[in-house]
Amino acid sequence: MEAASIPAGPPASQRVKQLIGTYGLTAVLLIMPVWFAIQDLTDEGNLVRLGENLVAGLSNGAIWALVAIGYTLVYGIVELINFAHGEIFMIGSFISASLIVTLGLTVDSAAVPVFFGLLAALLLAMIGSGTLNVLIERVAYRPLRSAPKLAPLITAVGMSFILQNVGLLWKGGNQQGVPDLLNAQNTLFTVFGVTIENADVLSVVVTIPLLIVMTSFINRSRLGKAMRATAQDPEAARLMGINVDTTISLTFLLGGMLAGAAGLIYAMYQTTIWFFQGFTGGLIAFTAAVMGGIGNLRGAVLGGLIIGFIQQMSDNRIGTEWTPAIVFGYLVLIMVFKPSGLLGEQTRDAG
């Protein structure tokens, strides 16, 4: 009688890697804030400086999260990295700044005209960026949907350079100032000594409702369910009567609209815009999407916030020249020990 075979468990190296992926990455992400917290308590006796770093990181991270969602939405539906998405974000900033100038808004304008002017700029930036994103999908990506994956990828890079040069022709090669309509650096209030500025409130107040509305739309609306069905199985969705082409266009529209909103927030937050911001911002947002788990909406938001926190702590305490290396160092660590990202990749699920 043969002895019963006992299935072999995963090798020790794999178990260690899984353990690090589950708990080690969390510990690594906490190294910077914990270290700086200890340093602040030792040197200054309080955590005010760290708190201000985290508040600024939350504001910046909210912008990257909005842009990152566009990357992850498109990837979740058609498994395409839309490298032109960063330039859509840049165009959103340019549309906003142009409308502000057209409306004649200045730092001396009254509160009511500023409010309605910014609301109009937000809507126009979202509509303009979303429409542009849909046109790019229709002209550049849809004809290549059945082509080898390298073809739409190279096309996306090409569209990125085209839009970058459109921005260069539109606003020139130098950074352009945007009227500081909100007095962005003005202290609105303080919490335990941590200052909360107007720009911080703008970033959170605009971002959170947009995320809630978009999530509710995808999870509850009929069109949102069509997006999820298309993400799961495009052919089965087509057989069920779903217009897959329209659904994909809707996905590009939503992603572009969020990028346009992020463009307005960025313009108001930084009070400067330029044609190259789409490349750098797009790269950061794409990193956020991959870090959180490409195709995972919650992962895109988490990745954007994490990068925002890392950037602010590094810029303020280590040096701006080291910030990109630190951000991508974290990305490499996450990819090595958890290739699917922190919350897991969802290649066929947009939600």
Side-chain angles (χ1 to χ4, degrees):
M1 187 173 180
E2 296 182 1
S5 60
I6 301 176
S13 59
Q14 185 176 345
R15 292 198 299 270
V16 171
K17 188 175 181 178
Q18 290 175 346
L19 186 65
I20 294 176
T22 304
Y23 302 106
L25 292 177
T26 302
V28 169
L29 290 170
L30 291 174
I31 286 176
M32 285 182 68
V34 170
W35 171 261
F36 291 136
I38 295 172
Q39 191 177 67
D40 288 350
L41 288 173
T42 302
D43 297 342
E44 302 172 13
N46 58 63
L47 298 175
V48 171
R49 186 180 179 187
L50 178 63
E52 292 181 343
N53 291 157
L54 295 179
V55 168
L58 177 64
S59 302
N60 274 342
I63 298 174
W64 305 140
L66 284 177
V67 184
I69 286 174
Y71 281 106
T72 212
L73 271 176
V74 170
Y75 186 86
I77 295 288
V78 294
E79 295 190 344
L80 167 71
I81 303 299
N82 180 18
F83 283 113
H85 192 68
E87 275 59 46
I88 298 294
F89 157 67
M90 176 266 294
I91 293 295
S93 287
F94 281 20
I95 292 174
S96 304
S98 297
L99 184 61
I100 288 171
V101 172
T102 301
L103 294 176
L105 296 176
T106 67
V107 292
D108 298 322
S109 298
V112 173
V114 167
F115 174 80
F116 285 104
L118 288 179
L119 182 60
L122 175 64
L123 294 176
L124 188 61
M126 292 178 69
I127 293 171
S129 297
T131 303
L132 179 59
N133 215 24
V134 171
L135 290 175
I136 291 173
E137 186 275 330
R138 182 66 183 86
V139 173
Y141 301 153
R142 188 178 297 182
L144 300 174
R145 200 169 293 162
S146 59
K149 289 191 175 183
L150 185 61
L153 184 67
I154 295 300
T155 302
V157 174
M159 289 303 305
S160 172
F161 281 107
I162 290 172
L163 292 178
Q164 193 175 118
N165 280 271
V166 168
L168 178 61
L169 291 171
W170 187 354
K171 294 291 186 181
N174 297 322
Q175 293 193 5
Q176 302 290 318
V178 178
D180 189 6
L181 302 178
L182 299 178
N183 197 5
Q185 306 305 316
N186 178 62
T187 299
L188 193 61
F189 56 89
T190 60
V191 179
F192 300 113
V194 177
T195 59
I196 309 297
E197 299 175 344
N198 293 346
D200 300 322
V201 174
L202 170 71
S203 181
V204 174
V205 164
V206 174
T207 299
I208 291 179
L210 286 175
L211 293 178
I212 292 173
V213 169
M214 189 205 61
T215 303
S216 299
F217 175 83
I218 292 176
N219 290 332
R220 299 179 183 178
S221 72
R222 184 175 180 180
L223 290 174
K225 291 176 181 178
M227 290 173 59
R228 293 161 62 193
T230 303
Q232 289 286 345
D233 191 330
E235 292 306 318
R238 198 185 303 272
L239 292 173
M240 294 298 293
I242 294 174
N243 190 324
V244 172
D245 289 338
T246 301
T247 303
I248 291 174
S249 294
L250 175 64
T251 303
F252 275 83
L253 176 65
L254 290 176
M257 291 177 72
L258 292 179
L264 170 69
I265 299 172
Y266 181 91
M268 291 294 96
Y269 191 89
Q270 301 290 343
T271 65
T272 57
I273 57 173
W274 71 315
F275 79 100
F276 205 63
Q277 77 180 54
F279 177 81
T280 54
L283 185 60
I284 292 170
F286 176 62
T287 302
V290 173
M291 184 180 289
I294 191 71
N296 189 314
L297 293 180
R298 292 179 293 275
V301 175
L302 176 62
L305 295 178
I306 288 174
I307 289 179
F309 293 141
I310 293 173
Q311 284 182 314
Q312 286 302 314
M313 286 186 287
S314 177
D315 287 350
N316 184 255
R317 298 166 181 269
I318 300 174
T320 56
E321 67 275 10
W322 285 99
T323 299
I326 294 173
V327 169
F328 283 98
Y330 271 105
L331 176 65
V332 170
L333 279 175
I334 291 171
M335 290 297 98
V336 168
F337 292 104
K338 201 166 184 181
S340 61
L342 291 171
L343 297 187
E345 177 180 347
Q346 296 182 12
T347 57
R348 303 309 305 173
D349 184 359

